[in-house]
Amino acid sequence: MRIIIDAMGSDSYPVPDVAGAVLAAREWGEPITLVGDRAKIDAELAKHTTSGLKIDVVHAGEVIEMTDKATDAAKHKPESSMHVGMQMVARGEGDAFVSAGNTGALLAIATLHTLKRIRGVHRPALTAIFHNSVGYTVAADIGANVECKPDFLAQFGLMSSLYAELALKIDRPRVALLSNGEEEEKGTELVKESGVLMSAMKTINFIGNVEPKEVLGGDTDVVISDGYTGNIMIKSFEAAAATMSGLLRREIKAQPLTLVGGALSQPAFSRVRKLMDPFEIGGAVLLGVDGVVIIGHGRSNEIAIKNAILRAREAVQGRLIQAIRDGINN
Amino acid sequence: MRIIIDAMGSDSYPVPDVAGAVLAAREWGEPITLVGDRAKIDAELAKHTTSGLKIDVVHAGEVIEMTDKATDAAKHKPESSMHVGMQMVARGEGDAFVSAGNTGALLAIATLHTLKRIRGVHRPALTAIFHNSVGYTVAADIGANVECKPDFLAQFGLMSSLYAELALKIDRPRVALLSNGEEEEKGTELVKESGVLMSAMKTINFIGNVEPKEVLGGDTDVVISDGYTGNIMIKSFEAAAATMSGLLRREIKAQPLTLVGGALSQPAFSRVRKLMDPFEIGGAVLLGVDGVVIIGHGRSNEIAIKNAILRAREAVQGRLIQAIRDGINN
């Protein structure tokens, strides 16, 4: 297995990107290719002990910045690290591509210029993996498609179910539709029509509608929605957790006694923070393109990059792409 | 001012409903009418000291339960406390109606059977008021209309802005559209077209698109969306806060030292809980019907009912209904 890493992805590229790749090469011993500005990557690699590690570098002369407009960057920077890296996967020179870069550009380059969609897939879906109160939930779509049709959502359900089963090793994953109520008659026309389609699918374990409370309660393994609503849900989860942390910090600091209490209970806060930390997950798979692509957060540190590489390994080992090809065309 | 209270609204009716009404009558000294099963209300009133308070009772022979199907209950229980109470407001025998009952039934009875829509209003909107990190945010629609058109959202913006200004006394309230990105080109077609309409409105202070992070960060006073997305946002906020509280409680209990720390920092937790407690808000206004209607949570306790009555008083004192009539037809 060879994983291709975008060395120019994260906000602080190439520092965490290279460091994460070194950690991964050391832990798993398998070949890793760093794609990007060779001089910068080499300078960064020189700061690490890499003897015995199977790390090589492929030069890419252009960098896509977070501020670049996605479709423009995809079209006008054909020598970007994203373009070069995903082209390698498309040609079979690597098994997966990992990037913490501009999500929109990554989506456009994967879908339109390099890997392309798996035959039969209507639309690719961005996913998120997050902790619920008992394990993990996979959400799709969380932003690739603001407007969706029922058959898009049905495919998101199938692809996410395969991902949860083959990569995350969740047995017979429960797949649900996000809605404003659990009853069948709840939801938009899109939700209702998608529910009819998904109920009829024998390839997924569809359990009906769920509300955000059930999602975080761990009542489903996969939650499906259009990319607009999914994006609002994920960002609302993040915003509420951040706001609550901020309020707690402020109120704990407000009095000497609670400040002492806060210091003593610090290990508990740290464990909760770690549990809710997206960097522990590292990245999420882009479903529907013809190759494994893992997208990390722009603010990724080296641990996040290493964990994103783990997500790529799981998907490759689970033979996810072949399973989606078979599943979609059956 | 006379406020009409649904005595059969909350999950534990008539206990908190009557107790909250007594608290309100004692605090503000103005007339309150309790509507519902007279025998049950009288028995409950007898448990309180009510001498000198201006509380009277109007009998209503039917009760709408939380499990009742909204439209059926609206049609087939014309003697319900909701029906009788809102009819009183429609006839001018009261200035506002407060209920912690079945939201769907309340919406149907208000819109179709009693108060009806204000002339010119396309659709009524359910609202929520919640704490952001610096003050209050009003959200609309949070569930009355799963499918919306741009002119519905534009009216929600106008009505919510008037509510924030006249009832909550927020000066020149900022009105924003919920979206998956702050840029103008982000969002569904509905969001983009609504943005064009709202940008052109001179009667509101439209500030563009906001994400959930900005909503909780207090970057807007009013956030507008279709009822489906708004419902998902509100429920995601609640679910994330509840999940985080649960995780913190579990981790604090996990070790003796953090348990001590947790006990010492308890006052800080309590202040945050109080800040995030929907019962402190009490209830939210139903916008677009021709009378002040405040909807509380089914789990309301007496403090929540009293605070819902305060929300009704603010709306009446701010002459909200007349302002909406004028605003919509200008």
Side-chain angles (χ1 to χ4, degrees):
Chain A
M1 189 191 319
R2 175 178 295 276
I3 311 278
I4 318 279
I5 316 288
D6 180 359
M8 320 306 273
S10 78
D11 293 350
S12 314
Y13 72 82
V15 182
D17 316 78
V18 170
V22 170
L23 289 176
R26 197 173 291 147
E27 181 146 345
W28 297 299
E30 277 161 335
I32 282 182
T33 298
L34 285 158
V35 182
D37 184 312
R38 184 184 293 275
K40 287 187 179 153
I41 297 172
D42 283 343
E44 202 54 39
L45 276 173
K47 298 179 191 165
H48 298 273
T49 311
T50 55
S51 74
L53 302 184
K54 296 176 193 152
I55 298 178
D56 63 7
V57 177
V58 166
H59 182 69
E62 290 175 306
V63 176
I64 293 177
E65 306 290 349
M66 286 298 177
T67 47
D68 281 354
K69 229 181 138 170
T71 45
D72 292 353
K75 205 185 285 179
H76 302 301
K77 290 185 172 176
E79 295 302 317
S80 75
S81 51
M82 288 185 188
H83 211 112
V84 171
M86 286 195 281
Q87 202 57 267
M88 288 180 68
V89 177
R91 283 196 303 259
E93 296 163 23
D95 297 286
F97 183 69
V98 174
S99 174
N102 184 319
T103 302
L106 195 63
L107 183 63
I109 295 169
T111 312
L112 305 173
H113 300 284
T114 56
L115 295 165
K116 311 277 172 78
R117 274 180 272 166
I118 289 171
R119 194 167 57 83
V121 168
H122 301 302
R123 292 287 186 283
L126 286 169
T127 65
I129 309 177
F130 50 90
H131 265 279
N132 57 48
S133 52
V134 291
Y136 291 107
T137 308
V138 180
D141 175 29
I142 63 145
N145 314 277
V146 289
E147 313 272 4
C148 286
K149 293 179 180 169
D151 49 352
F152 299 0
L153 265 62
Q155 284 193 344
F156 299 165
L158 173 62
M159 296 191 291
S160 304
S161 176
L162 289 169
Y163 176 72
E165 184 185 346
L166 300 173
L168 301 182
K169 305 295 177 197
I170 298 172
D171 189 37
R172 206 172 146 64
R174 295 160 297 173
V175 178
L177 274 167
L178 179 64
S179 190
N180 59 329
E182 289 187 59
E183 307 85 353
E184 247 177 63
E185 74 272 13
K186 287 278 188 167
T188 56
E189 286 308 309
L190 173 66
V191 171
K192 285 187 265 191
E193 290 173 26
S194 302
V196 171
L197 284 185
M198 291 168 81
S199 298
M201 288 166 74
K202 293 198 170 58
T203 44
I204 61 169
N205 176 17
F206 180 63
I207 61 164
N209 293 350
V210 289
E211 296 189 63
K213 187 171 57 174
E214 281 82 46
V215 173
L216 287 184
D219 296 338
T220 189
D221 302 300
V222 172
V223 59
I224 299 299
S225 64
D226 64 85
Y228 177 72
T229 316
N231 192 274
I232 298 289
M233 178 188 71
I234 293 288
K235 287 180 178 165
S236 295
F237 287 160
E238 291 172 355
T243 301
M244 200 172 162
S245 300
L247 287 174
L248 268 176
R249 207 174 302 122
R250 186 187 78 188
E251 293 303 329
I252 281 175
K253 280 185 188 163
Q255 293 176 317
L257 202 64
T258 56
L259 192 59
V260 172
L264 290 175
S265 44
Q266 194 52 51
F269 285 99
S270 298
R271 285 195 297 272
V272 172
R273 199 176 306 121
K274 190 167 174 180
L275 216 52
M276 301 188 81
D277 183 1
F279 294 169
E280 289 291 316
I281 308 287
V285 69
L286 170 62
L287 289 172
V289 295
D290 206 357
V292 173
V293 175
I294 304 291
I295 309 179
H297 202 292
R299 289 196 309 269
S300 288
N301 58 19
E302 62 191 66
I303 302 297
I305 298 287
K306 190 194 113 181
N307 289 336
I309 296 170
L310 176 58
R311 297 283 92 81
R313 290 174 52 83
E314 291 168 347
V316 173
Q317 285 169 338
R319 301 182 184 280
L320 175 67
I321 300 300
Q322 189 57 48
I324 294 178
R325 286 186 199 129
D326 295 345
I328 289 286
N329 295 300
N330 258 347
Chain B
M1 189 191 320
R2 174 178 294 277
I3 311 277
I4 318 280
I5 315 289
D6 180 359
M8 320 306 272
S10 78
D11 293 349
S12 314
Y13 71 81
V15 181
D17 316 77
V18 170
V22 170
L23 288 176
R26 197 172 292 147
E27 180 145 347
W28 297 299
E30 278 161 333
I32 282 182
T33 298
L34 284 158
V35 182
D37 183 312
R38 183 184 294 276
K40 287 187 179 153
I41 296 172
D42 283 343
E44 202 53 40
L45 276 173
K47 298 179 191 167
H48 299 274
T49 310
T50 55
S51 73
L53 301 185
K54 296 176 193 151
I55 299 179
D56 64 6
V57 177
V58 166
H59 182 70
E62 289 175 305
V63 175
I64 293 177
E65 306 289 348
M66 287 297 178
T67 48
D68 282 354
K69 231 184 134 167
T71 44
D72 292 352
K75 206 186 286 180
H76 301 301
K77 291 186 173 175
E79 295 301 318
S80 75
S81 52
M82 287 184 189
H83 211 111
V84 171
M86 285 195 281
Q87 202 57 268
M88 288 180 68
V89 177
R91 282 196 304 257
E93 296 163 23
D95 296 286
F97 183 69
V98 174
S99 174
N102 183 320
T103 302
L106 194 64
L107 183 62
I109 295 169
T111 313
L112 305 174
H113 300 284
T114 56
L115 296 166
K116 311 279 172 74
R117 274 180 273 166
I118 289 171
R119 194 167 57 83
V121 167
H122 300 304
R123 293 287 186 283
L126 287 169
T127 67
I129 309 176
F130 49 90
H131 265 281
N132 57 48
S133 52
V134 290
Y136 291 107
T137 309
V138 180
D141 176 26
I142 64 145
N145 314 278
V146 289
E147 312 273 4
C148 287
K149 294 180 180 171
D151 48 352
F152 300 0
L153 265 63
Q155 285 193 343
F156 298 164
L158 173 62
M159 296 191 292
S160 304
S161 176
L162 289 170
Y163 175 73
E165 184 184 347
L166 300 173
L168 301 181
K169 306 293 176 198
I170 298 172
D171 188 39
R172 207 172 145 63
R174 295 160 298 173
V175 178
L177 274 167
L178 179 65
S179 190
N180 58 329
E182 289 185 61
E183 306 85 354
E184 248 177 63
E185 74 272 13
K186 286 278 187 166
T188 56
E189 286 308 309
L190 173 65
V191 171
K192 285 186 264 190
E193 290 173 26
S194 303
V196 172
L197 284 185
M198 291 168 80
S199 298
M201 288 167 73
K202 293 197 171 58
T203 44
I204 61 170
N205 176 17
F206 181 63
I207 61 164
N209 293 350
V210 289
E211 297 190 63
K213 187 172 55 176
E214 282 82 45
V215 173
L216 287 185
D219 295 338
T220 188
D221 303 299
V222 172
V223 59
I224 299 299
S225 64
D226 64 86
Y228 177 71
T229 316
N231 192 275
I232 298 289
M233 177 188 71
I234 293 288
K235 287 180 178 166
S236 296
F237 287 160
E238 291 171 355
T243 301
M244 199 170 162
S245 300
L247 287 174
L248 268 176
R249 208 173 303 124
R250 186 187 78 186
E251 293 303 328
I252 280 174
K253 280 184 188 163
Q255 293 176 316
L257 203 64
T258 56
L259 192 59
V260 172
L264 290 175
S265 44
Q266 195 51 51
F269 285 99
S270 298
R271 285 195 298 273
V272 172
R273 199 176 307 121
K274 190 167 174 179
L275 216 52
M276 301 189 81
D277 183 1
F279 294 169
E280 289 291 316
I281 308 286
V285 69
L286 170 61
L287 289 171
V289 295
D290 205 357
V292 172
V293 176
I294 303 290
I295 308 178
H297 202 292
R299 289 196 309 268
S300 289
N301 58 19
E302 62 191 66
I303 302 297
I305 298 287
K306 189 193 114 182
N307 289 337
I309 295 169
L310 176 58
R311 297 284 93 80
R313 290 173 52 83
E314 291 168 349
V316 173
Q317 284 168 341
R319 301 182 185 278
L320 175 67
I321 301 300
Q322 189 56 48
I324 294 178
R325 285 187 200 128
D326 295 344
I328 289 286
N329 295 301
N330 260 347

